[in-house]
Amino acid sequence: MEYPDFLRHVANKIISPTNLDAKRLDEARKLLAEAETKYKFSSYGGNPKKLIDYLQSPEFIELVMILGVDLSKKLVQLIRDSYQDEEMKSTANKIIEELDGYSDIEESKTVRSRTFL
């Protein structure tokens, strides 16, 4: 399957009660439902390649803020591994690099704050 449905076959593997508390889970699901409506990236009657537009949008950044860097990175890695389209893979790789940069910043802040305690 070249284009699995993002919400049902990809995101639900990461955005689940085992990974998020109830409040953040509800917020993430709400954001994803709104994004699917806006960007029409569903495999069921939409265009799965529109997922690229979503991944490059402010709405995706909002999702990252809810999920956190590590869980967002897992989601994007799963996107990269689930889709055969090279443009989707390339976009996912760029986002992973960006998220790695944020992880480095977070780790640096944690180390600095511990140093001064």
Side-chain angles (χ1 to χ4, degrees), residues 10-88:
V10 179
N12 280 337
K13 291 179 181 177
I14 301 295
I15 300 170
S16 69
T18 56
N19 292 326
L20 291 168
D21 60 69
K23 183 178 179 184
R24 291 184 344 163
L25 179 63
D26 287 344
E27 185 64 24
R29 287 181 174 165
K30 178 182 161 228
L31 291 173
L32 285 169
E34 290 170 358
E36 184 179 53
T37 300
K38 179 177 180 178
Y39 291 94
K40 300 180 184 350
F41 51 67
S42 174
S43 293
Y44 304 108
N47 179 356
K49 286 194 72 164
K50 295 273 187 179
L51 183 58
I52 294 169
D53 297 334
Y54 172 60
L55 293 173
Q56 297 172 334
S57 74
E59 289 90 349
F60 182 71
I61 294 169
E62 196 173 344
L63 180 66
V64 171
M65 300 301 283
I66 299 295
L67 299 180
V69 173
D70 291 337
L71 203 54
S72 296
K73 188 174 173 184
K74 287 180 185 178
L75 176 62
V76 178
Q77 287 170 332
L78 188 58
I79 291 168
R80 180 192 60 202
D81 297 343
S82 297
Y83 292 93
Q84 302 304 312
D85 184 85
E86 287 304 316
E87 188 178 2
M88 292 177 97

